[in-house]
Amino acid sequence: MAYDVLRAVSDSDAYANLLLPTAIAEAGLNPQDAALATELTYGTLRRRGTYDAIIAAAADRPADAIDPAVLDALRLAVHQLLATRVASHAAVNESVNLVALTAGRGASSFANAVLRRVARESPGDWLARIEAAARSDDERLALRAAHPVWIIRALRRALAAEGRVEELDALLEADNVSPEVTLVALPGLAEPQKPRRPYAVTAFASPGGDPRLALSASDGAVRVQDEGSQLVALALTAATPLRAGERWLDLCAGPGGKTALLAAVARQNDAVLEANEVVPTRARLVRNALRAVPGEVTVHERDGRELAAERPEAFDRILVDAPCTGLGALRRRPEARWRKSPADVAELVPLQVGLLTAAVDALAPGGVVAYVTCSPHLAETTAVVEEVRRVRPELVELDARAVLHGVAQAPIDLADDGRAQTGSAQLWPHRHGTDAMFLALLQRPLETTDAPKEG
């Protein structure tokens, strides 16, 4: 099962977090086997770069010169040999059999030779060998922490902006640890159970790590959702005092987790929520997420920039959960680190700026937009906010940190970026146990005055 998921990730750009749970459920695996399949899949994906370097050294050829189907089997085997308690002979034999089934006996002989060579040395010996061949300190860190160099540098810059660059090793380590399953209890429809999460009033951990029982009994009122995602949605609702009759918009709603939470809060406060998602399959996910919340939420299938442009001054609160690189969720989607490149950032930033600019123009006077990304990359976060504020200088940036402090049930360590009484907030896996969610809150003034004319 783990091998099939790895092949789908490699061949079809599939997402392991979508494929694996379905495969486990369809196979009816017991909890122990499900845990093993999960560890094999996610562990192999997380440390793919490190394992490729070890395989290349053991095979005396670059990893990308090995047949992809064989390479995935080798990666899976190396993870078992170097990072699990699976017996070495079992890991080698099962993986060689996989290669024989998928690529033939010649390839299986090659795999057998490579894996027996890997099994002869300890994990520490292999790590020392590949690090010795690195060309820079960052490349050594990339091999040790299983992150591409460009991501390490982006994370370092983001932490440095907070004066916390010394936390880099802890962040990289947190990215390589399986995250706790966190659930949301939609307000007014379900009550959070124990154990509770520390910050969001709606968040709790799944007892025993398996959420299926809690989910099936709730009819959609309890859902899997990272606590950071819950916090940023709740922050939008708490940024200014709520008034009955407000109009809200979730501009980039798919797959619908934040939409459902906003809809539940809107229902409690006599607000009207609309949602938008440009991708039809994701729009269907949004509608499905909303089924648990009584009342009608219109879900549009439009380019968010066009929709917002057609609704000037129409909304009191807008969530822009912008498409991003997802570098803040590498714990949950480990394959993303090997798929993304700096070119993806350059492609996404204009879209992020366009969506946020359009959302600002759709705000009613006094309205607030929450700009959210699941990425701490500065080009996708503070740089986007600064660019929008440059072209819309009348905007007021609220203190997102203060709003999160007000929303959180327990003290939350949010680093100051040096700006007094204003500024964005960044959550982190190593510091908060959440995805690395970024939040900025921009408010349109109640009254705007024209700039003085020259002369």
Side-chain angles (χ1 to χ4, degrees), residues 12 131 148 170 172 265 289 352 354 402 431 441 447:
S12 308
E131 284 187 30
L172 297 175
V265 178
Q352 293 160 350
R431 201 185 302 162
L441 297 167
E447 295 183 4

Side-chain angles (χ1 to χ4, degrees), residues 324-408:
C324 69
T325 54
L327 300 186
L330 298 182
R331 304 176 304 160
R332 302 181 192 281
R333 294 190 288 275
E335 66 272 15
R337 71 187 74 182
W338 312 116
R339 283 182 179 165
K340 301 295 182 181
S341 73
D344 293 300
V345 179
E347 182 178 335
L348 284 164
V349 166
L351 173 61
Q352 293 160 350
V353 170
L355 287 165
L356 182 54
T357 303
V360 164
D361 292 339
L363 281 178
V368 176
V369 59
Y371 175 69
V372 170
T373 67
C374 189
S375 169
H377 196 299
L378 295 178
E380 299 186 85
T381 58
T382 53
V384 169
V385 174
E386 289 167 3
E387 174 60 18
V388 173
R389 292 194 70 197
R390 185 186 67 81
V391 298
R392 298 289 189 275
E394 73 280 5
L395 292 173
V396 176
E397 185 173 5
L398 304 180
D399 188 347
R401 295 185 301 275
V403 174
L404 281 178
H405 280 300
V407 167

Side-chain angles (χ1 to χ4, degrees), residues 56-354:
D60 293 322
R61 68 181 71 174
D64 58 11
I66 299 172
D67 178 82
V70 176
L71 181 57
D72 275 333
L74 292 175
R75 290 165 173 162
L76 183 58
V78 170
H79 178 63
Q80 294 173 76
L81 290 169
L82 302 184
T84 76
R85 292 179 293 176
V86 174
S88 295
H89 69 275
V92 172
N93 290 340
E94 292 294 334
S95 301
V96 168
N97 289 339
L98 269 177
V99 173
L101 286 171
T102 57
R105 290 194 173 277
S108 70
S109 297
F110 164 76
N112 184 58
V114 171
L115 294 179
R116 292 191 181 280
R117 189 171 180 185
V118 172
R120 284 199 294 267
E121 298 188 37
S122 70
D125 290 339
W126 277 113
L127 198 57
R129 178 185 296 192
I130 61 175
E131 284 187 30
R135 296 164 295 183
S136 68
D137 289 342
D138 279 354
E139 194 169 297
R140 273 185 288 278
L141 181 57
L143 290 167
R144 185 166 65 251
H147 285 65
V149 168
W150 77 272
I151 292 180
I152 287 175
R153 291 171 177 167
L155 296 176
R156 181 187 289 123
R157 285 191 291 269
L159 287 169
E162 296 185 338
R164 301 283 189 94
V165 72
E166 72 279 0
E167 295 180 4
L168 178 61
D169 286 344
L171 171 58
L172 297 175
E173 183 178 349
D175 273 351
N176 287 328
V177 174
S178 298
E180 181 182 62
V181 177
T182 304
L183 305 176
V184 59
L186 297 181
L189 301 170
E191 291 295 326
Q193 305 300 310
K194 293 182 179 180
R196 300 288 294 273
R197 291 287 300 165
Y199 305 123
V201 68
T202 51
F204 64 106
S206 174
D210 186 352
R212 284 177 290 185
L213 290 178
L215 298 180
S216 61
S218 74
D219 199 24
V222 171
R223 309 174 55 81
V224 174
Q225 187 174 35
D226 179 71
E227 187 178 19
S229 294
Q230 297 178 49
L231 282 171
V232 295
L234 293 172
L236 174 60
T237 69
T240 57
L242 290 165
R243 297 175 293 103
E246 286 189 352
R247 298 155 298 170
W248 300 359
L249 173 65
D250 187 350
L251 191 61
C252 311
K258 298 182 187 69
T259 318
L261 180 51
L262 288 175
V265 178
R267 174 176 172 267
Q268 291 181 312
N269 292 276
D270 295 322
V272 177
L273 174 68
E274 295 182 38
N276 178 70
E277 171 54 50
V278 66
V279 180
T281 54
R282 288 170 64 85
R284 286 195 290 273
L285 293 176
V286 175
R287 294 187 181 96
N288 184 61
L290 288 166
R291 287 192 306 176
V293 185
E296 188 69 29
V297 176
T298 300
V299 179
H300 305 277
E301 295 182 19
R302 302 280 306 280
D303 183 312
R305 293 164 293 186
E306 296 175 358
L307 175 68
E310 294 173 5
R311 309 283 293 278
E313 300 189 6
F315 298 99
D316 300 289
R317 298 176 200 263
I318 300 177
L319 175 64
V320 179
D321 185 9
C324 69
T325 54
L327 300 186
L330 298 182
R331 304 176 304 160
R332 302 181 192 281
R333 294 190 288 275
E335 66 272 15
R337 71 187 74 182
W338 312 116
R339 283 182 179 165
K340 301 295 182 181
S341 73
D344 293 300
V345 179
E347 182 178 335
L348 284 164
V349 166
L351 173 61
Q352 293 160 350
V353 170

Side-chain angles (χ1 to χ4, degrees), residues 417-434:
D417 61 5
R419 295 181 291 169
Q421 306 304 315
T422 187
S424 54
Q426 180 68 61
L427 300 172
W428 294 102
H430 67 289
R431 201 185 302 162
H432 307 110
T434 69

Side-chain angles (χ1 to χ4, degrees), residues 13-27:
D13 285 341
Y15 290 94
N17 66 318
L18 299 180
L19 281 184
L20 186 61
T22 301
I24 288 173
E26 290 178 350

